[in-house]
Amino acid sequence: ADRAPLLDVRGVHVRFGGITALAGVDLTVGEGEICGLIGPNGAGKTTLLNVLSGVYRADAGRVRFAGRDLLGLPPHRIGPAGVARTFQNLALFPTMTVLENVMVGAHPACRGNWLTSLLPGYTARSERRATAEALGVLDLLGLADVALHRVTDLPYGTMKRVELARALVLRPRLLLLDEPAGGLNHDEVAELGELIVRLRDTFGVAVLLVEHHMRLVMGISDTVVVLASGRRIAAGPPAEVQRDPEVIAAYLGSP
Ligand code: ATP
């Protein structure tokens, strides 16, 4: 029998006043799979990520993740449930060091809250363990040398890797990436692609990759899902999706 996918999105609707951002979207992501989510501007990609991370509420539909219902969980419960995300615009603490930014994600007593040391349950030992974990992730992402640098002093491409590191110390089973290639140069995009594949291979983490950079998406995704005006218009292996007439039409703006 087929095993249930890690992430199973069914019939998700989201409306903002008169605007229907998602009109019944279905999507599945298997364990350790890289799923590219593409579509023209306003298709609903970021809205879907916001639903999956508890930022927006769906008006209808179901989301199962690792055998449990994800819809309705508040954002601070989503991370511990195994889903981590990065943002289209960097959401780092610019004046804190790389290590401090990553530790925000790492502390077991309070994932996502930076007032770590004020917490009941905070101990020097848990702090040390979290630090070791964070340093391991920094090493893997090639950030060990800048661990003590302030984020604001780093090149943009490096900052983006810091955000990835912060998401990874949660040890997620699913990583939601919102346009990670945005603002990166050609070489950085190529490196990012290799890095995402390496993270999947190393941690077995599944990735839902929202991205406009077609070469990146088509190059590393196992499956590509295409949204247009809040609907799924195609899903399948990259090569198949790329030659789908409806997908081509959506990108060319045909009626
Ligand atoms: P892009 O590629 O440009 O980031 P997208 O596919 O991520 O686009 P969304 O940002 O999800 O698209 O937007 C989908 C639709 O929902 C758009 O019409 C957008 O204007 C609308 N929308 C998104 N968030 C809100 C909000 N908070 N309030 C009102 N409308 C919203």
Side-chain angles (χ1 to χ4, degrees), residues 135-172:
L135 286 172
V137 170
L138 288 179
D139 200 27
L140 191 77
L141 296 197
L143 293 168
D145 290 347
V146 294
L148 301 179
H149 290 222
R150 290 192 326 162
V151 160
T152 184
D153 299 332
L154 299 172
Y156 186 71
T158 310
M159 289 189 199
K160 294 215 109 171
R161 267 186 290 142
V162 176
E163 222 195 356
L164 209 47
R166 186 171 63 187
L168 277 167
V169 290
L170 284 160
R171 295 179 178 251

Side-chain angles (χ1 to χ4, degrees), residues 16 19-21 39-48 56 88 179 212:
F16 298 106
I19 297 169
T20 300
N41 291 331
K45 305 179 296 294
T46 300
T47 299
L48 184 59
Y56 291 163
Q88 205 168 331
E179 297 193 22
H212 281 291

Side-chain angles (χ1 to χ4, degrees), residues 20-23 25 38-47 226-231:
T20 300
L22 294 175
V25 167
I38 65 170
N41 291 331
K45 305 179 296 294
T46 300
T47 299
V226 189
L227 294 186
S229 307
R231 293 174 197 283

Side-chain angles (χ1 to χ4, degrees), residues 102-150:
V102 174
M103 293 291 287
V104 167
H107 196 274
C110 188
R111 304 192 151 172
N113 189 324
W114 58 283
L115 293 170
T116 298
S117 61
L118 300 178
L119 286 170
Y122 169 88
T123 65
R125 192 154 154 269
S126 61
E127 174 83 15
R128 271 203 301 278
R129 190 161 4 98
T131 308
E133 210 169 304
L135 286 172
V137 170
L138 288 179
D139 200 27
L140 191 77
L141 296 197
L143 293 168
D145 290 347
V146 294
L148 301 179
H149 290 222
R150 290 192 326 162

Side-chain angles (χ1 to χ4, degrees), residues 39-205:
N41 291 331
K45 305 179 296 294
T46 300
T47 299
L48 184 59
L49 288 197
N50 281 326
V51 168
L52 296 178
S53 49
V55 177
Y56 291 163
R57 290 193 46 169
D59 295 299
R62 246 178 51 137
V63 177
R64 300 277 295 172
F65 173 76
R68 63 189 285 195
D69 285 313
L70 210 61
L71 282 190
L73 283 188
H76 68 276
R77 305 286 292 277
I78 303 268
V83 181
R85 79 174 283 185
T86 64
F87 292 85
Q88 205 168 331
N89 304 307
L90 290 173
L92 295 169
F93 299 100
T95 61
M96 283 166 43
T97 66
V98 168
L99 180 60
E100 284 166 340
N101 269 276
V102 174
M103 293 291 287
V104 167
H107 196 274
C110 188
R111 304 192 151 172
N113 189 324
W114 58 283
L115 293 170
T116 298
S117 61
L118 300 178
L119 286 170
Y122 169 88
T123 65
R125 192 154 154 269
S126 61
E127 174 83 15
R128 271 203 301 278
R129 190 161 4 98
T131 308
E133 210 169 304
L135 286 172
V137 170
L138 288 179
D139 200 27
L140 191 77
L141 296 197
L143 293 168
D145 290 347
V146 294
L148 301 179
H149 290 222
R150 290 192 326 162
V151 160
T152 184
D153 299 332
L154 299 172
Y156 186 71
T158 310
M159 289 189 199
K160 294 215 109 171
R161 267 186 290 142
V162 176
E163 222 195 356
L164 209 47
R166 186 171 63 187
L168 277 167
V169 290
L170 284 160
R171 295 179 178 251
R173 289 172 75 182
L174 175 65
L175 202 49
L176 308 174
L177 303 181
D178 198 357
E179 297 193 22
L184 300 188
N185 67 36
H186 183 272
D187 289 347
E188 288 172 332
V189 173
E191 280 169 27
L192 175 69
E194 285 168 23
L195 182 59
I196 293 171
V197 171
R198 181 147 39 93
L199 297 178
R200 185 270 303 276
D201 294 346
T202 308
F203 296 108
V205 65

